[in-house]
Amino acid sequence: MTAMNDDIVIACVDLAGRAGASGVDIGYINAARWYAVATYRGARIIVDGHGSPTAAALALAERLLSRAKCRCTQPVTLSDARPGCRWRLVGRRWEPGCDAAPITVAAGGRGDLAAIERAMALVPPGGNRAARRKAKRRRP
Ligand SMILES: [Zn+2]
């Protein structure tokens, strides 16, 4: 069995869940060919041909983050050399570089890319910072 980096695989599954996917599958065709699939309603995002489950999970996370828009409304970047909201893998979690509040997708929206896009369209430029501050104040 190919060795697996649990943190990277867990971070990928967590990220896909936060990105609205209804499921993630990581599997193999043979020992040298691993794939990872994020499932949305009526759509799948697939990476294939990786040498290990870790590599497939990392590739899927990068695929989900590339071309993604952060909840602060900036494009996500994984490089200091590129503009946007700088995301990093921190332990078992992909973390944004901003403190914008999470986007709420209407009930039933999980896995529904159109519902997720509608929710994103309602976010003001810079993200829901005011809502986040309010939520922090409410906590004891
Ligand atoms: Zn951001």
Side-chain angles (χ1 to χ4, degrees):
M1 191 65 172
T2 312
M4 182 169 101
N5 182 324
D6 289 354
D7 290 350
I8 288 175
V9 172
I10 289 166
C12 171
V13 173
D14 172 69
L15 176 70
R18 286 152 67 199
S22 52
V24 175
D25 290 305
I26 296 174
Y28 59 92
I29 309 299
N30 58 53
R33 184 177 168 193
W34 287 78
Y35 62 83
V37 184
T39 304
Y40 292 83
R41 197 175 300 167
R44 296 195 307 164
I45 294 174
I46 302 170
V47 296
D48 191 8
H50 295 277
S52 72
T54 304
L58 184 60
L60 180 61
E62 288 178 347
R63 174 74 180 70
L64 292 170
L65 288 169
S66 73
R67 280 178 270 172
K69 196 159 92 168
C70 181
R71 57 206 187 194
C72 67
T73 70
Q74 290 190 84
V76 171
T77 179
L78 297 177
S79 167
D80 290 338
R82 306 193 71 169
C85 188
R86 177 73 160 87
W87 280 58
R88 287 187 167 81
L89 180 59
V90 181
R92 299 183 158 191
R93 205 171 150 87
W94 285 96
E95 296 285 1
C98 66
D99 64 353
I103 310 299
T104 303
V105 178
R110 181 148 296 269
D112 183 344
L113 278 173
I116 293 162
E117 278 163 17
R118 280 196 301 276
M120 282 300 291
L122 298 174
V123 177
N128 287 325
R129 286 210 178 87
R132 172 90 163 206
R133 278 196 297 272
K134 227 188 297 173
K136 269 186 185 155
R137 272 202 301 271
R138 261 200 306 271
R139 276 184 218 130

